[in-house]
Structure formats: C-alpha cells, structure tokens
C-alpha cells in the first residue's frame, strides 16, 4: 500500500515497514521516528546507519547481534528505542522487520 | 480475552525446571516479550533455580529419559553419557541458529530489562544463598510477593 511520509509517496507493507529502501531518506526516518514518539539524537542516527549497513550486507538482525555490534550494547539499545527496539529501529531505518526470536 | 482489550502488557513466567529445553523455552519467551515492548519477569523456583545458580548454570542438560519427543528408548536414554551426548548435540544445533548459551542469555535478559526473582522456599530448601545466584537476580521473594508483583491490567502468567 501507499502512504504519504514527509510529503513523499512511499510504499509500505501492512505493518508500516518500507518495502523499497530507495524511497527512504533522513526526512522519512524523522517522520517515522516522530510517529514512534522518539526524538532522534546523533546516537540514534549512528544505530540507524548501522542497521541499514547490516541489512545491506544481508546480516540477519537480532538482539544478540546488536549486543555484539561493538557500537551499542543491549541496554542502551532499549534506552534509545524503549518500546520493541528492534522493530521500531528497523521501521525508522526503512528496512524490513527482522524475523528473529532472540 | 476482553480484559485490557486482549493486549498483553506483562508476562510473568515461572520456571520450575532445570532441563536445558525448559530453561531455553522460558528465556526465549521472556526475551521475545521484551522485543515486542511487553514487560517480562521470571520467578525461578525448584529446579529452575539451577538456571541462575552460578556454579550450575553452565552444566544444564537435556532430559533423555521420560521425554517421548526424543524418540529414544527409555532404557537407552538412561545409559551413562547419553544425556551428555544429547546435550552436546543440542548445543551445537543451537549455536548454528545463533542461540546464546545460558550465561550469555541471562546477560541479554538482564540488559533487556527482564526482572528476575528467586523463590524463597526453594532457595531455603536447596540451602542456596543470594551470592550463589546470578547477579541479575533482583531478590529472593515469596510466592506472595510474586503475586503482588503480578498485579495490573493485561498481565499474563505462564508456568514452565
């Protein structure tokens, strides 16, 4: 389905995740974070860029992998994105929701 | 399911068993809840205490006897070394699917905000002390304290 995010027409799935990463830009990320009630700081952006990079390299994202990222530990990840951090952060980053149980 | 419009706010998980497969089940459920933005707490009781006992948590085993899903004759499952072999094989498979070991999993749960409690009755029975237990365990509490802890809307309780 299509919806307007930050004034752009964007294709998303039924859970609101972008289906085409090329439609993502920082304005879209900001709009999606506002919907999740998160005020993005430079630290958030570091994590978002990291997630996008991992996705580009086809790494399956999980909480465990975030903890081993060397960038952010699990505790801080939960502080940055308090509600369902992996789901929220990947949505803001414009990448698919990870199908991970750990 | 009309309570709280069916939404789950908090999972209260009681872990009473010390076999690897049950401990992992409880941990995955608790961690999975936190990943969805649901609060989670674990109450460790009876053999479940082995999962938070510093000296024992690295040595949990899969049950090979009395477990029909192992598809192993009971007599065979009881042979010396069988449990160790099955445990070794299961741990190898778990590493393949990026499953952390028990200690690392406890660290993940702790960092994710899962609150962990030890059952006072069971701790007394096994003569354990607070310092025997994993640091992330907040306190040794009674079953009454745990019920008090479980008050609120959308709270679900699960016995493993």
């Amino acid at each position: 389905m299509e919806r307007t995010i930050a004034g752009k027409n964007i294709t998303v799935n039924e859970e609101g995740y972008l289906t085409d990463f090329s439609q993502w830009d920082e304005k879209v990320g900001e709009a999606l974070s506002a919907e999740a009630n998160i005020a993005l700081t430079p630290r958030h952006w570091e994590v978002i860029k990291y997630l996008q990079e991992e996705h580009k390299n086809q790494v399956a994202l999980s909480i465990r992998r975030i903890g081993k990222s060397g960038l952010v530990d699990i505790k801080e990840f939960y502080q940055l994105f308090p509600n369902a951090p992996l789901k929220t952060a990947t949505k803001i980053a414009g990448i698919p929701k990870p199908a991970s149980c750990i | 399911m009309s309570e709280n419009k069916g939404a789950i706010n908090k999972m209260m998980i009681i872990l009473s068993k010390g076999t690897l497969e049950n401990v992992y089940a409880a941990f995955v459920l608790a961690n999975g809840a936190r990943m969805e933005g649901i609060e989670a707490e674990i109450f460790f009781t009876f053999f479940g205490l082995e999962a938070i006992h510093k000296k024992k948590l690295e040595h949990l085993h899969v049950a090979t006897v009395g477990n029909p899903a192992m598809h192993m004759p009971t007599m065979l499952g009881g042979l010396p070394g069988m449990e160790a072999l099955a445990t070794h094989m299961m741990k190898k498979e778990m590493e393949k699917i990026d499953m952390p070991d028990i200690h690392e999993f406890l660290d993940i749960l702790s960092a994710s905000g899962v609150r962990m409690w030890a059952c006072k009755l069971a701790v007394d029975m096994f003569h354990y002390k607070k310092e025997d237990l994993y640091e992330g365990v907040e306190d040794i509490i009674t079953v009454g304290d745990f019920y008090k802890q479980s008050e609120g809307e959308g709270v679900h309780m699960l016995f493993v």
Side-chain angles (χ1 to χ4, degrees), chain B residues 69-116:
Chain B
M70 283 296 285
H71 303 291
M72 181 187 286
T74 295
M75 295 284 286
L76 205 62
L79 289 177
M82 218 34 141
E83 249 187 29
L85 180 70
T87 302
H88 177 73
M89 282 163 61
M90 186 156 155
K91 282 186 174 171
K92 238 170 63 184
E93 287 304 314
M94 284 177 161
E95 190 51 47
K96 276 191 217 158
I97 58 165
D98 208 25
M99 190 85 128
D101 65 28
I102 296 293
H103 198 280
E104 189 194 338
F105 217 148
L106 283 168
D107 290 345
I108 291 175
L109 294 175
S110 192
S112 304
V114 175
R115 302 184 73 179
M116 296 184 257

Side-chain angles (χ1 to χ4, degrees), chain A residues 64 75 78 83-84 87 102, chain B residues 35-36 98-99 104 112:
Chain A
R64 187 188 192 200
K75 201 167 187 170
Y78 270 92
N83 245 325
K87 276 172 75 178
I102 303 162
Chain B
M35 285 175 73
E36 294 299 315
D98 208 25
M99 190 85 128
E104 189 194 338
S112 304

Side-chain angles (χ1 to χ4, degrees), chain B residues 36-93:
Chain B
E36 294 299 315
I38 297 167
E39 285 181 63
E41 305 193 10
I42 307 178
F43 185 63
F44 295 87
T45 188
F46 281 84
F47 297 110
L49 283 176
E50 301 241 325
I52 46 169
H53 190 286
K54 280 181 197 158
K55 291 207 175 86
K56 301 187 175 187
L57 63 90
E58 308 276 8
H59 307 289
L60 303 182
H61 274 185
V62 185
T64 48
V65 173
N67 181 4
M70 283 296 285
H71 303 291
M72 181 187 286
T74 295
M75 295 284 286
L76 205 62
L79 289 177
M82 218 34 141
E83 249 187 29
L85 180 70
T87 302
H88 177 73
M89 282 163 61
M90 186 156 155
K91 282 186 174 171
K92 238 170 63 184
E93 287 304 314

Side-chain angles (χ1 to χ4, degrees), chain B residues 87-149:
Chain B
T87 302
H88 177 73
M89 282 163 61
M90 186 156 155
K91 282 186 174 171
K92 238 170 63 184
E93 287 304 314
M94 284 177 161
E95 190 51 47
K96 276 191 217 158
I97 58 165
D98 208 25
M99 190 85 128
D101 65 28
I102 296 293
H103 198 280
E104 189 194 338
F105 217 148
L106 283 168
D107 290 345
I108 291 175
L109 294 175
S110 192
S112 304
V114 175
R115 302 184 73 179
M116 296 184 257
W117 312 98
C119 165
K120 185 176 184 310
L121 186 68
V123 167
D124 289 348
M125 194 183 99
F126 288 113
H127 306 291
Y128 293 163
K129 290 185 210 67
K130 178 85 169 69
E131 50 270 29
D132 297 327
L133 305 177
Y134 173 73
E135 309 79 47
V137 176
E138 236 171 282
D139 206 356
I140 299 170
I141 64 172
T142 66
V143 68
D145 296 332
F146 185 68
Y147 279 133
K148 192 89 191 140
Q149 198 63 28

